[in-house]
Amino acid sequence: MAELSGIRVDESDPACERGKSAAMKIMDLLTEDDMDVSKIKDEFLPYQGHLWHQWSKIHKELYNLKGNAEKEKSKKQQELMNIRQKQYTVSCSKLMELFIESLSSLPPKDKQYFLKWTQILMDDLSTVELSLILHSYDEKWSEVMALKDTASKLDLLSTKQTELEEITKKLQSATFGLEHIFREMGQIYEAHRAIEGESRHTDWSKYPELAAQLMISGHPMELMDGDAGHVPLTWISSLLEEVIKKLGDQRVFVLSVLGIQSSGKSTMLNTMFGLQFAVSAGRCTKGAFVQLLRVSEEMKKDLKFDYLLVVDTEGLRALELEGNITRHHDNELATFVVGLGNMTLINIFGENPSEMQDILQIVVQAFMRMKKVKLSPSCVFVHQNVTDVAAAEKNMDGKRRLQEKLDQMAKLAAEEEDYSAECFSDVIEFDVRRDVKYCSQLWEGSPPMAPPNPGYSESIQEVKNIILSKASQSAGITLSQFKTKIQDLWSALLSENFVFSFKNTLEIAAYRKLEDQYGNWTWALRSNMLTAENQLYNRIENGNLDKVKVSYLKKKTSKKYKEIETTMKKYFEEDREKELLAQWRGRFETKIKEFHDEQVSTVKRKLDEVIQQKKARKKLDDKKKEFEDKLLQKSKELAQQLKDKAKDEEELKNEFSSVWSDLVTEITADIKPVEDIDLEEDKFTILRELGIECSLIEESKRSGSYKKISTVGNYSNYVILSKKKDLYETSETEPSQDIVKEDTHTSRLVTYITKPVSNLWKSTKTVFGYNSNTKQIQDKSHSALSCDEQQQIISLIDKAEKLSLDSIKSKPVATRGYSLTYLQEAAKTVTEEVKKFQSQSKRTLKKEFTVDLLLYVFYKAEILLLDSQKKFKMNNDPLTYLESKKTYYFNVFRSFCKGSSSAVVLAELICEKLKASTVEAVCNKTAIGLAGAMRCNFPAFNGNRLNLEKHLLKALAEKENFDDYITYIRNPRSQTEAFIKAEVEKYIFTDHRHETLNILKKNVHDINMLVSQALSTATQKVQNQRGDINMWLKEFSSLLKDELTLDSISSQNFSDISNLDFFMEEIKKEFTCIIHEVSSLSLEKLKESRVKPHEILIDQLCKCCWVTCPFCAAVCTNTIEDHSPDDHNVPFHRPSGIEGWHKRGTVEFSINFCTTNVASDDRFRPYPFSEKFVPYKLYRRAGPKYADWRITPDESKLAYWKWFVCRFKKKLEEYYKFKFQGRGEIPNEWKTISKNEAIKSLDEMCE
């Protein structure tokens, strides 16, 4: 009829015919053996059946480990790989081959028809059998409900429930649609990817691209497999990556939909946006689906995103699930889709109070979880199937009841989620008048004969307008962010506690990027302040500044500070992540101000010390001036007498030495020389005063044990242990059963004993696996210190060292000289800390410990004291200073003898003084320049704290030096500083030597230009004003005041200089030689400069958080030192055995990662000798040091520390005196990790 009438129909379209033909090939394959519909999936889709369900179950168990967590985890990971291997060995079915061939070969239009026909024909194939099964289900359900009211027929009820479960399974098997084929594609891809790795040259590797093409064309894709209750992350991630490749990283607005089953959600979405979500009664297919909807160019004018991404879910409250299973499943699904959405549409069907309460409680709890993890979706409630929409819209009473119900649910959810909320508005921004919409029912009357209700479409259009109005205020998220969100939400949902386990990767990435910017801003301020400090230092040394005010420093650096403020404002307001960044803006603005103020106060303190040193050596400076004037005068007089002997070098030296000796004796007659200090004698005196025997002191010095006290693996030898130790002295005394094992954060074995003593040995052998061969080891373990006690001694050493050395550093040794009291104070600090430790500990430290600790502190202090005393002597001892200048003054004397004019001699004198100043200025400028170059360009230094940590760990792995690792583990800051220094020296002297020399030569050139300009300016000004040489010296010195230091020169011996042009040329000639010499300066000279590049970078990079994980002692990697209220976190957690933790009462190392423990059912003792246990999953409740840490389960993915344990197994055992055996045995999977894989894992954890 259509053909005769000339009406075009789809069926006659050649593309439709080709699509149908391809679909019929698939249907012929499905029906050729007249196979039962319920067996089709098992036959043709084997990947998604039992194996996939088993994989999903085991994968979830990884987040709820029991027993030996690390071994259990390794076992389950191997099981997962075995399942993938089984899937991998299954050949691809003929059905999938036909389907993939059609998707790959058909043109886009044909492909759309092919998919539509396949869906229609599959639905037609399964409809009849599904109807029969559903009818059978309804009958059996009615029987079960009837029996529930009859208490006497429990056996029959149980039988009927079993039959109902069988029908449910059959219903699942008979449900067969296009989504199952796409699910099979996903599982084929995941299995092959797991076994073969990434590949671009295989059939299965093309699957994500094929699916991406369909998703872009508007075909819905399964996000969560409702049958397995799992999200195939590998498949979904690859699919979205292909979409991003084809479209670019477009911005999408994610609209999620929630509602009870069969409430018209999919119908509403299909009507609203013209989507293709499956519409059917019942809930045979569960899970979540996504569909991409392009925003038209016209709509883009009002919206800030390119696509609408709709997430539709199968309904909540499954009939086939009961009780807690239903509640857990629905909470999981609701949390997942609410977290994904920028907006969630909550669909309420009818006005049944019971149904409404169920869905509201689930939804409110989901929103509350989002609030706690700082996600902020909006929501709209759609009330469908309302009989009188007009009346309902006007009836505020209905909305008031909904608001009351939401507030009630908010309180209930707050109790369950341990959160403070009095009403729904405390959880999410919500206005009941604006965010609730009533809709007509779809049918006028009862289907199937009822006509559609025209008011339904109108109501849905109004809902659509509300959604678009809200969406216009949001920029949505990018597709890559959506992909990351899926991974974050699902990983957290797998854990028992969603809020504790949720890791917001998008927020973390934005914060790390902000940390990078913060590093750039602080470096700009520091670099500017270093330049200002350098200039003011020179002014002070030149005698042109005797006081530095804070206001002056702030004014001098205000321009740069305002530039940084402007840059910060622009970053927070214009960056694409500005919504996420807004939460940190105020805090970082405050931190930058605090940093600037701290820099100002630090520079002021340094310059005040320089001023004090200048004042302290005023007496010496006066003596130097007096000596120089007299020496020059004597030299001129003596030169007249020795004109004839100018060529006799030996005669000149003898005559000069005679004059020199007389003058030195005259000048220093009333000055007591600075004596050398004898620290060895002082140390011995102090130790004897403390009552320590000579034999102990000599033994410690002879063995050198004191030098290693900070790196000892086991401190048992330093502790007095009772001769007879009870095996169970540290176990609990209030047992509930014979023997109970609990893992602690030190992974100890806690043993409860209630049986008679006669049974003790038998129990012991059972617990510890005792036999005659292990006796020696077990006996040794009984006398060892516990892990907590070891850590307490380490903390004592670190604290005593820090307090003592800080005390030494605060003393004015460089300005006033050394005093015995400085070492006595350090010794007093050490002994007081030891006494305090003794009073708080159950252990008694041997005297040898105190001796070694004192000698260790003295050893560390000695370097500081000797260096400072050397500076003091050079600045305050005339004899030392004059002796260092003897050669210099002889050269002046010789010039006079050879008949040189005063102009020539003064030129030589000035240039000699400028030489040292030039070298220092060039080295300081080069040091600052090098620090800046490395900070900006060197990979380890140009990022945030996490980036520095990653490169440090890589460097440790490359060197494979166990001692360096131990230093890092025991004192991470010390090793970090050593790493920075080593990398700077390598950069300067090896890798970038040529660039360093270029920087140095540029600075030499700048100094040369400065001096040349100063010479010309000073000479011209003095000539114009007809001034003398005294005026010229003052003018020249003032022109150099910010860049070079120039000791004052008396003009009284050079008053005869009148030709300033000749004088200027002589200086230029002499200074040219100096410049040439400085240009060839050895880079080793940089090590002697006042400003050192590694010290600058250490100040910049190590001003961060150094708090360690309470479980594994890994260092927090936050760039900000005090980053409260943000939690401490680090991606590089490690096995606690690396820190020396072991099982109590044994020599077995602990190999558990804390990131594994927090996903297990184990418990731990939060503090030494604590009587209570805390579940790892609730570790934040264990006390202050745990509450501020965010440790999320990561399946201990970091291969780095696993490689380390295997690589240094023997050395770790020797160092700590424990063994990797029993429960501490290293899993076999760890032993297969190569160094390259270990290093690569660091990059993966930082992504």
Side-chain angles (χ1 to χ4, degrees), residues 981-1022:
K981 185 177 181 181
E983 290 299 318
V984 169
E985 290 183 354
K986 185 182 173 189
Y987 183 97
I988 293 172
F989 300 112
T990 308
D991 296 348
H992 295 81
R993 183 181 179 84
H994 182 70
E995 293 171 32
T996 304
L997 287 170
N998 286 340
I999 294 173
L1000 187 143
K1001 287 175 181 177
K1002 180 184 179 302
N1003 290 326
V1004 171
H1005 177 265
D1006 292 345
I1007 293 293
N1008 188 28
M1009 295 301 293
L1010 169 74
V1011 172
S1012 298
Q1013 185 63 43
L1015 284 170
S1016 301
T1017 303
T1019 302
Q1020 188 175 359
K1021 185 174 181 179
V1022 172

Side-chain angles (χ1 to χ4, degrees), residues 337-537:
V337 297
V338 166
L340 285 178
N342 296 108
M343 178 192 292
T344 303
L345 204 62
I346 297 106
N347 186 53
I348 301 173
F349 189 74
E351 299 174 88
N352 185 320
S354 173
E355 290 183 353
M356 192 186 300
Q357 177 162 326
D358 283 351
I359 187 173
L360 291 183
Q361 189 166 352
I362 292 166
V363 167
V364 170
Q365 191 164 1
F367 278 121
M368 188 165 290
R369 287 176 169 183
M370 296 310 109
K371 177 84 171 178
K372 291 179 76 175
V373 297
K374 295 188 282 188
L375 295 180
S376 306
S378 58
C379 70
V380 170
F381 285 85
V382 178
H383 217 119
Q384 281 203 67
N385 211 33
V386 178
T387 49
D388 188 352
V389 174
E393 287 283 7
K394 295 174 186 176
N395 184 5
M396 283 303 296
D397 187 53
K399 293 186 177 182
R400 179 185 59 77
R401 287 198 303 272
L402 177 62
Q403 178 76 66
E404 288 175 355
K405 187 65 70 177
L406 285 169
D407 292 345
Q408 181 186 347
M409 293 302 109
K411 288 182 181 179
L412 289 173
E415 291 177 11
E416 193 165 326
E417 292 290 331
D418 192 21
Y419 187 75
S420 176
E422 292 298 320
C423 59
F424 187 56
S425 298
D426 291 340
V427 179
I428 188 172
E429 187 178 334
F430 177 73
D431 184 344
V432 72
R433 293 165 296 183
R434 185 189 66 213
D435 298 332
V436 178
K437 182 65 186 170
Y438 292 90
C439 289
S440 307
Q441 55 190 9
L442 175 60
W443 304 105
E444 285 188 341
S446 300
M449 299 304 294
N453 183 353
Y456 177 78
S457 296
E458 294 174 7
S459 301
I460 296 303
Q461 181 60 41
E462 289 175 16
V463 175
K464 181 179 178 180
N465 292 338
I466 292 172
I467 291 170
L468 293 177
S469 174
K470 280 178 168 281
S472 65
Q473 301 166 28
S474 168
I477 58 174
T478 63
L479 282 167
S480 59
Q481 290 173 335
F482 177 69
K483 182 190 80 169
T484 304
K485 236 182 181 185
I486 292 171
Q487 294 168 341
D488 292 344
L489 286 163
W490 183 243
S491 296
L493 279 168
L494 288 172
S495 300
E496 195 169 287
N497 192 316
F498 172 82
V499 175
F500 279 1
S501 303
F502 181 73
K503 184 171 75 171
N504 191 336
T505 305
L506 298 177
E507 188 177 274
I508 291 169
Y511 187 80
R512 287 178 182 170
K513 186 179 166 188
L514 177 57
E515 284 184 317
D516 288 342
Q517 293 299 321
Y518 176 79
N520 294 336
W521 299 329
T522 54
W523 175 253
L525 291 173
R526 185 185 296 278
S527 182
N528 184 56
M529 193 63 76
L530 282 168
T531 303
E533 179 189 347
N534 217 24
Q535 292 173 346
L536 295 174
Y537 176 89

Side-chain angles (χ1 to χ4, degrees), residues 25 35 38 50 95 203 278 383 455 589 732 782 784 827 1205 1216 1224 1230:
K25 288 180 183 178
M35 186 182 294
S38 62
H50 172 70
L95 169 64
D203 292 338
H383 217 119
E589 287 173 344
E732 298 297 321
H782 302 158
V1205 167
Y1216 289 115
W1230 292 20

Side-chain angles (χ1 to χ4, degrees), residues 24 107 125 505 551 618 636 723 814 958 1236:
M24 286 304 298
L125 178 67
T505 305
S551 57
K618 185 177 185 305
K636 287 185 79 172
K723 292 182 180 178
E958 293 293 352
N1236 287 337

Side-chain angles (χ1 to χ4, degrees), residues 211-256:
Q213 291 170 352
L214 296 178
M215 186 173 175
I216 292 168
S217 67
H219 197 281
M221 285 291 159
E222 186 177 62
L223 190 61
M224 177 192 279
D225 178 349
D227 292 330
H230 213 85
V231 176
L233 282 180
T234 305
W235 165 248
I236 295 297
S237 297
S238 298
L239 167 60
L240 291 173
E241 283 166 11
E242 287 296 331
V243 173
I244 293 168
K245 281 182 186 177
K246 293 179 181 300
L247 297 180
D249 199 7
Q250 300 286 352
R251 297 199 77 83
V252 296
F253 182 84
V254 184
L255 175 67
S256 297

